[in-house]
Amino acid sequence: MTEPGAPPGPAVPGPALPGPALLFCPGDRPDRFAKAADRSDTVVLDLEDAVAPDSKAAAREAVAASGLDPGRTVVRVNATEPDRALDLAALAATSYRTVMVPKCSGPRDVAAVLEVLPDARVCALVETAAGVLAASSVAAADGVVALMWGAEDLVASLGGTSSRTPDGRYRDVARHARSVVLLAARAHGRAAVDAVHLDVDDVDGLEAEVRDAVASGFTATACIHPSQVAVVRRAYRPDDAEVVWARDVLEAARSHGAEHGGVFRHDGRMVDGPVLRHAEEVLRRAR
C-alpha cells in the first residue's frame, strides 16, 4: 500500500481498462458473452446483481467455462460470503484476473481477493457510504487498477430512495460521491470509471453525462445496454477541431521552447503547463 504522504503516481493510461466503454453482461447468460465482448471495449461478466440467487452456481460455471480475451474481460464477483469465496475459487481455475469488487468499503475487501488470486487486478466498485469515506485508502491499495462508483447502491446505503431528482440530475450526495471517487482514483494513478446511466432510452442524458465525465478526467464509462457503447465511444473520442487545436498548441509550445515549462501566448490565449497537458490528453484519446 502507498505510504501516507507519498507522491501520487502518474495517470493510468488506457490499457488499465482497454477502451472507454465497459459493458455489463449477466453471468448466467453465456449466449450473450461473445456478443457483449464484440460490442464493447471491456466486457464485465456479472456474477452479482444481474444474477438471481438460485442462478449463482450456474452463472459461476458459465463464466468459468467461457473463453473470452482475459485482457478485455472483467468479472464482477459477489460482495458477500459464501458467494464471493465460491466466485474467486472458480476464477482461480481460469485466466480471468481483472476482478470487480462490489460494495468495496475498504482495503480489506481488496485484500480478500488477493488472498485467493495474488495476481488479480482489482476494479473497486465504491457504492456505499463507507466506501466513499474510504475511497483514498482503497485507491492506494496494492492490486487496485481502477475505481468505479455506483449511485443506486450508495443512496440505498444511506436509507434514501432515489439518486436523481425529477429532472434526471444526480442529487448532491451522488455528485459528491462521484467527485470523491474520481479524485481518489486519479490521485493514486488509477483509472476512474463513471457509473451506468440506467435510462437506456435517454440518449441525450447519457451523452451529456459522458461528455462531463471526459472533461472531468474519467477514463471510462460503464454501460448496461449495447446501444450505449457507441454514445460513450463518441463522447470520449475528440472531434477533428479538438485534435487540430491540440496539435497546434503543442507545436506552438515547441516553437517557443516552452514544451517543458513556461508561459506563452497563442491565438490570443495564455498557454502554460496545464493547457499543454490538456492538449496531450486530447491526442492520447484520439489515438
Side-chain angles (χ1 to χ4, degrees):
M1 184 181 298
T2 303
E3 293 297 324
V12 170
L17 286 171
L22 281 70
L23 178 60
F24 279 87
C25 182
D28 60 347
R29 292 301 305 269
D31 55 308
R32 297 182 182 178
F33 289 178
K35 291 180 180 179
D38 288 342
R39 295 178 183 181
S40 64
D41 301 311
T42 299
V43 62
V44 182
L45 302 181
D46 190 7
L47 296 174
E48 195 212 13
D49 285 346
V51 180
D54 59 358
S55 298
K56 297 286 187 184
R60 205 173 286 125
E61 293 175 3
V63 169
S66 63
L68 302 181
D69 178 359
R72 297 180 52 245
T73 305
V74 177
V75 179
R76 177 162 75 166
V77 298
N78 283 278
T80 57
E81 303 296 354
D83 282 315
R84 181 170 65 180
L86 294 171
D87 294 343
L88 294 174
L91 291 182
T94 74
S95 56
Y96 298 137
R97 285 298 180 271
T98 307
V99 179
M100 182 176 288
V101 179
K103 300 175 181 64
C104 186
S105 62
R108 285 181 296 181
D109 290 329
V110 177
V113 173
L114 298 181
E115 286 177 6
V116 181
L117 303 174
D119 56 345
R121 293 157 44 89
V122 174
C123 176
L125 180 46
V126 177
E127 51 184 346
T128 64
V132 173
L133 293 180
S136 183
S137 61
V138 170
D142 290 339
V144 172
V145 297
L147 266 66
M148 176 179 164
W149 79 289
E152 305 313 316
D153 279 297
L154 169 64
V155 171
S157 80
L158 299 172
T161 59
S162 174
S163 67
R164 295 180 185 266
T165 59
D167 63 2
R169 292 183 297 178
Y170 278 124
R171 298 187 187 278
D172 287 347
V173 67
R175 294 174 59 215
H176 173 73
R178 182 178 187 252
S179 297
V180 167
V181 171
L182 172 62
L183 289 167
R186 305 308 279 161
H188 292 282
R190 314 306 192 192
V193 182
D194 204 12
V196 298
H197 192 82
L198 293 178
D199 188 347
V200 175
D201 294 328
D202 180 22
V203 177
D204 291 341
L206 171 62
E207 184 163 4
E209 282 185 7
V210 179
R211 291 196 180 282
D212 179 75
V214 174
S216 298
F218 281 94
T219 51
T221 294
C223 306
I224 58 170
H225 192 274
S227 66
Q228 296 178 322
V229 170
V231 180
V232 170
R233 284 174 170 167
R234 183 169 63 247
Y236 274 90
R237 185 183 304 117
D239 60 31
D240 292 344
E242 290 178 287
V243 172
V244 169
W245 167 82
R247 288 174 175 165
D248 285 350
V249 166
L250 293 174
E251 180 58 34
R254 286 188 287 270
S255 66
H256 283 84
E259 64 266 43
H260 301 299
V263 179
F264 65 96
R265 181 170 173 152
H266 178 67
D267 286 344
R269 179 184 178 185
M270 185 196 77
V271 176
D272 58 4
V275 175
L276 296 181
R277 289 198 293 275
H278 294 168
E280 290 167 352
E281 175 62 17
V282 167
L283 296 185
R284 186 193 70 78
R285 286 193 289 111
R287 291 192 293 269

